[in-house]
Amino acid sequence: MAALTTLFFLTLLCFFPCNNAHPFHRHPRTAHHNYRDALTKSILFFEGQRSGRLPSNQRMTWRRNSGLSDGAAMKVDLVGGYYDAGDNVKFGFPMAFTTTMLSWSVLEFGGLMKGELQNAKQAVRWATDYLLKATVHPDTIYVQVGDANKDHACWERPEDMDTPRSVFKVDKNNPGTEVAAETAAALAAASLVFRRSDPIYSKILVRRAMRVFEFADKYRGSYSTGLKKYVCPFYCSYSGYQDELLWGAAWLQRATKNPKYLNYIQVNGQTLGAGEFDNTFGWDNKHVGARILLSKAFLVQKMKSLHDYKGHADNFICSLIPGASFSSTKYTPGGLLFKMSDSNMQYVTSTSFLLLTYAKYLTSAHMVANCGGATITPKTLRSIAKKQVDYLLGDNPLKMSYMVGYGGRYPKRIHHRGSSLPSIEAHPAKIQCSAGFSVMNSAAPNPNLLIGAVVGGPDQNDRFPDQRSDYEQSEPATYTNAPLVGSLAYLAHSFGQL
């Protein structure tokens, strides 16, 4: 057994470079990457995704106001929020998850962000201001603005869009537990972001989170059932809504310290899937995130009743480590974690964030992760995360950064309407719905840089064609950037760049 353990660690050391970084300690060696620059750009990206009336301090200046009558069809104000990716629809489910992850990034690593903290908080607030509008009526959530099928039949700037801005909602008669519980998680997490800097706003957020979670739990059902033809296949919920209920309760427990949420987790945790082996964390499945979040309550806050979540979190860690028990993760020949061909980079960024966050919790508790007979230290978790972020920034077979505007070589033809079409300033005349497809299908580089956008990434063999029509590899998304913000803040600090 000892020989096997030694062999396992030799394999591990070959696979992952050593990193002696300690949470919030500066790294002794110089960094190969400018993590601070990448952090600045990763946050700036969100300004390029804004919908609504843009503020005077808007830095992504090729964008203009858009969607100024959103919600009018339902006589509700739904102006604002974010376009999720390269289209002009506002999908509430991924927007809420983006908000939760941006908030978590700020909560864990915001203290290291220095001058970028304010920009990160503004990115959170652009989303929460919208989510408050979307939840203004009790037992109702407006979950989407725009008909995705009709939107996707056009290639036009958000400033020009003339496709129907249809509004879709969930309510008591047509429930949407997953989108409601994720919205509650987003509002609860964001309430912690603003607790000190804007306590009145923070209280508004947490009260709304409690009300929305109660609605999610009381009227159970998937929004993919009632709204199937509008939300599928775009953001269909495949994992069910149990993961969001556990995730939402975990965030409310952290935000309120109300014993009723701890009790809810203790009573319902197992039936909501706390111990399952679904190790893919993203906009659809939140189980792993909930396990890591609840492990903090045990590790740092010494809540003994949540002891099992340490084991559940360890199982996720073991799934990532080659040769460990429960190992189930594939990597490309160049070393990139590979979950699926469509927007794989979102899983890279979310997993890296969870690794750094769990390493922080373990270090606080002077503990390690257990994988069968082997122990995995926080140092190892940080080195895995760093390797993934470094790959994204250019340490890969193509020597290409997958963040637009970072490094000397990055994607030039991203699948993004506003970035690919000439700006209003360059071309004031309206570009009609189908007229944009000649640009979409061309090989010309995008005229507007969506700085900081992280694209879907290379395929399982580290190949990346940089074609605008290839949305699986070339489309950016808000939920890809949101967890990366936290990881870059940690790395920039640990290498003395912040």
Side-chain angles (χ1 to χ4, degrees):
M1 185 67 193
L4 280 174
T5 304
T6 304
L7 181 62
F8 166 71
F9 273 109
L10 286 171
T11 306
L12 195 63
L13 287 169
C14 291
F15 197 84
F16 301 117
C18 281
N19 178 348
N20 299 312
H22 188 277
F24 311 154
H25 284 193
R26 299 205 183 279
H27 200 284
R29 287 177 291 136
T30 54
H32 183 53
H33 286 289
N34 187 339
Y35 300 115
R36 180 175 187 162
D37 180 50
L39 170 65
T40 298
K41 289 170 175 168
S42 72
I43 299 169
L44 179 59
F45 158 74
F46 288 94
E47 294 192 17
Q49 297 302 109
R50 284 173 169 173
S51 180
R53 191 172 297 283
L54 304 184
S56 58
N57 63 353
Q58 169 82 9
R59 296 175 294 166
M60 198 80 80
T61 52
W62 52 266
R63 286 294 324 280
R64 293 289 190 272
N65 298 338
S66 62
L68 297 183
S69 60
D70 281 0
M74 284 265 197
K75 295 185 169 54
V76 61
D77 175 10
L78 294 175
V79 176
Y82 289 115
Y83 302 116
D84 71 298
D87 52 30
N88 301 328
V89 183
K90 292 193 304 209
F91 293 99
F93 192 29
M95 197 195 307
F97 177 67
T98 294
T99 311
T100 312
M101 294 309 296
L102 254 181
S103 298
W104 201 2
S105 283
V106 171
L107 292 172
E108 297 299 343
F109 303 111
L112 313 179
M113 288 181 186
K114 301 283 176 67
E116 288 304 326
L117 178 59
Q118 206 50 42
N119 291 324
K121 288 168 84 168
Q122 284 179 344
V124 173
R125 189 158 187 154
W126 194 267
T128 50
D129 283 351
Y130 176 82
L131 294 177
L132 287 172
K133 293 178 177 184
T135 56
V136 69
H137 297 134
D139 296 339
T140 302
I141 303 180
Y142 299 97
V143 297
Q144 186 171 317
V145 180
D147 183 317
N149 289 296
K150 290 176 178 172
D151 178 87
H152 285 187
C154 292
W155 191 266
E156 60 186 353
R157 304 176 294 201
E159 295 85 354
D160 282 341
M161 62 187 167
D162 47 15
T163 50
R165 299 303 283 170
S166 312
V167 175
F168 303 98
K169 67 175 181 175
V170 297
D171 55 27
K172 290 188 274 193
N173 301 317
N174 296 288
T177 298
E178 63 280 271
V179 66
E182 181 59 63
T183 302
L187 294 166
S191 76
L192 292 165
V193 169
F194 297 105
R195 179 165 282 175
R196 288 184 183 169
S197 58
D198 194 340
I200 294 170
Y201 188 63
S202 175
K203 280 177 183 155
I204 291 168
L205 293 172
V206 77
R207 284 177 190 146
R208 186 67 58 83
M210 293 168 78
R211 189 178 89 188
V212 171
F213 185 79
E214 192 175 332
F215 162 67
D217 193 37
K218 187 174 179 182
Y219 302 100
R220 293 194 183 189
S222 174
Y223 93 137
S224 297
T225 303
L227 295 175
K228 186 170 186 177
K229 67 178 180 177
Y230 304 111
V231 302
C232 298
F234 314 101
Y235 291 102
C236 228
S237 176
Y238 299 102
S239 68
Y241 54 72
Q242 289 82 4
D243 53 306
E244 279 84 16
L245 285 173
L246 184 62
W247 174 242
W251 275 111
L252 276 159
Q253 191 279 323
R254 181 161 168 178
T256 68
K257 302 293 188 281
N258 188 321
K260 77 176 182 181
Y261 296 110
L262 178 60
N263 183 61
Y264 181 95
I265 293 160
Q266 290 167 334
V267 171
N268 299 295
Q270 290 309 306
T271 56
L272 294 178
E276 289 176 17
F277 287 95
D278 48 352
N279 290 318
T280 301
F281 180 55
W283 62 261
D284 185 25
N285 194 330
K286 323 294 162 45
H287 272 138
V288 176
R291 289 170 201 143
I292 299 287
L293 187 64
L294 289 168
S295 75
K296 181 186 184 183
F298 167 70
L299 289 165
V300 181
Q301 288 140 2
K302 311 300 182 194
M303 297 171 77
K304 301 284 191 255
S305 63
L306 296 177
H307 171 273
D308 287 353
Y309 288 91
K310 161 75 163 64
H312 298 327
D314 283 0
N315 287 341
F316 165 63
I317 297 304
C318 300
S319 78
L320 297 169
I321 296 185
S325 53
F326 312 127
S327 177
S328 60
T329 302
K330 294 184 175 67
Y331 291 86
T332 67
L336 185 72
L337 178 154
F338 197 84
K339 285 282 184 184
M340 54 188 71
S341 58
D342 189 355
S343 299
N344 178 64
M345 207 59 91
Q346 65 175 296
Y347 305 109
V348 175
T349 61
S350 62
T351 301
S352 300
F353 175 83
L354 291 183
L355 285 164
L356 291 173
T357 300
Y358 194 47
K360 181 183 168 187
Y361 299 164
L362 288 172
T363 301
S364 295
H366 304 289
M367 293 183 78
V368 294
N370 297 302
C371 291
T375 59
I376 310 298
T377 66
K379 182 173 84 172
T380 300
L381 303 189
R382 288 189 289 269
S383 72
I384 299 172
K386 179 181 178 295
K387 182 179 174 68
Q388 295 303 306
V389 174
D390 286 350
Y391 183 111
L392 186 158
L393 294 177
D395 290 2
N396 55 62
L398 295 181
K399 299 289 182 277
M400 180 179 214
S401 155
Y402 290 102
M403 176 186 284
V404 173
Y406 177 85
R409 186 179 182 213
Y410 50 80
K412 298 291 199 298
R413 300 165 192 85
I414 67 171
H415 183 93
H416 189 277
R417 287 156 176 77
S419 171
S420 68
L421 294 164
S423 67
I424 297 288
E425 187 176 18
H427 188 288
K430 179 170 174 153
I431 299 171
Q432 299 291 341
C433 163
S434 55
F437 281 108
S438 61
V439 171
M440 200 277 273
N441 294 317
S442 81
N446 289 12
N448 309 308
L449 276 190
L450 186 61
I451 293 170
V454 177
V455 296
D459 67 13
Q460 60 192 2
N461 295 307
D462 301 296
R463 295 175 302 206
F464 182 78
D466 195 13
Q467 291 173 344
R468 199 174 291 112
S469 58
D470 182 2
Y471 65 88
E472 291 190 341
Q473 291 182 255
S474 293
E475 189 168 17
T478 55
Y479 44 84
T480 303
N481 272 59
L484 182 62
V485 168
S487 298
L488 289 170
Y490 168 76
L491 289 166
H493 173 84
S494 64
F495 280 92
Q497 298 172 358
L498 280 170

